[in-house]
Each structure stands twice: as C-alpha cells, then as structure tokens.
C-alpha cells in the first residue's frame, strides 16, 4: 500500500554499514589501510585533492556533507601525539588550506573540524590519524539524516574532487 513517501536509495552506504569493504587483515596494518594505499592509486581512484611533503588531503568516501575532506599524514600513526613537528605543522597548514578552498568553491558558512582518537571516540579507521574538515551551511541539517538515516549529497565525489583539486593553492 502506498504511503505517499518518496524514497531516496543509497545502496552504496551498505558497504560501509556492513563493513564488507574492510580488508581481511583490518585497518591496523598499512597493507590494509585505505589512507596508506590512497597515495599510490591514480587520482580518479584515490580521491586525493592535494599532496604535501608529510600529509595529503583526500575526500571522505562516506561524507557527512559535500566537500568533506580528511587531512592525513602519509605515515601510518594512530595518535596525534605521535606526529613529529613537520607533520603537525603541515597538517595544520593543510587544514587551513582545505577550509579556504572549500569556502571558495562552495561558499561554506562554517566548518566542523576534528579528530576521533581511538575506536571508543568514534574513529572508523583508528589506526591511521586523520583530521576531518566538514563544511557546513545554514540549514544543511534537516530531517533526512535524523529520521530517514539518509544524507542527500548533490554532487558526485569525482566531481567534488576535481573542483577542489583545481582550486587548491600550488
């Protein structure tokens, strides 16, 4: 019987929810860590927006909002205190650049920045440190994620990656 509701199907999310895309050995070792593997992939597969000497910026494969970036060190470390000074400085610099670029290309009104340190703190990939840079707009949170457990993203990840990569400072 029809209930008058329209449906937005997001079957790609089932891979994340079920964990079926996790490597057999887990994320703890660099050989199975997507943040360790991404720099070796072609740009259209890696979703990397920009590369530095110690860190890189990559689109989140399961974004909260369009333009949701992760700033990751190349080195496989779990805790912020394990970063050396050059890594810490470049992570901060890339976070600032990410905010500027996303603000420039999409007029973000604000940002959520953060690192979830450890699985108990919500880290999906706790073994490899990553800083979230989540753009926010007035009114971007509505009933869809709360009631419908669905996030509506108006742009394909590949298109977002191209837009941000072109705008990233050289």
């Amino acid at each position: 019987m029809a209930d008058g509701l329209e449906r937005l199907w997001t079957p790609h999310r089932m891979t994340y929810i079920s964990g079926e895309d996790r490597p057999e050995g887990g994320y703890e070792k660099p050989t199975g860590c997507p943040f360790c593997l991404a720099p070796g992939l072609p740009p259209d597969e890696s979703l990397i927006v920009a590369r530095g000497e110690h860190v890189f910026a990559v689109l989140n494969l399961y974004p909260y909002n369009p333009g949701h970036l992760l700033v990751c060190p190349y080195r496989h470390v779990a805790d912020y205190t394990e970063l050396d000074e050059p890594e810490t400085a470049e992570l901060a610099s890339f976070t600032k650049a990410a905010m500027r670029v996303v603000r420039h290309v999409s007029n973000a009104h604000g940002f959520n920045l953060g690192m979830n340190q450890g699985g108990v703190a919500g880290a999906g990939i706790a073994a490899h440190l990553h800083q979230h840079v989540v753009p926010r707009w007035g009114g971007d949170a509505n009933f869809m994620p709360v009631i419908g457990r669905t996030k509506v993203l108006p742009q394909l990840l590949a298109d977002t990656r191209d837009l941000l990569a072109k705008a990233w400072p050289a």
Side-chain angles (χ1 to χ4, degrees), residues 54-118:
H54 305 286
V55 304
F56 60 96
V58 62
L59 283 174
N60 189 330
L61 188 57
Y62 303 105
Y64 297 132
N65 274 340
H68 179 172
L69 289 166
L70 304 172
V71 180
C72 307
Y74 289 108
R75 199 161 57 94
H76 188 83
V77 297
D79 197 84
Y80 184 69
T81 62
E82 295 177 52
L83 293 178
D84 62 27
E85 290 307 314
E87 289 169 325
T88 302
E90 193 171 61
L91 187 131
S93 175
F94 259 59
T95 300
K96 289 166 78 174
M99 292 174 65
R100 288 182 184 115
V101 168
V102 172
R103 192 175 282 132
H104 172 74
V105 302
S106 66
N107 296 313
H109 299 152
F111 292 88
N112 289 118
L113 305 175
M115 295 180 208
N116 300 323
Q117 295 284 264

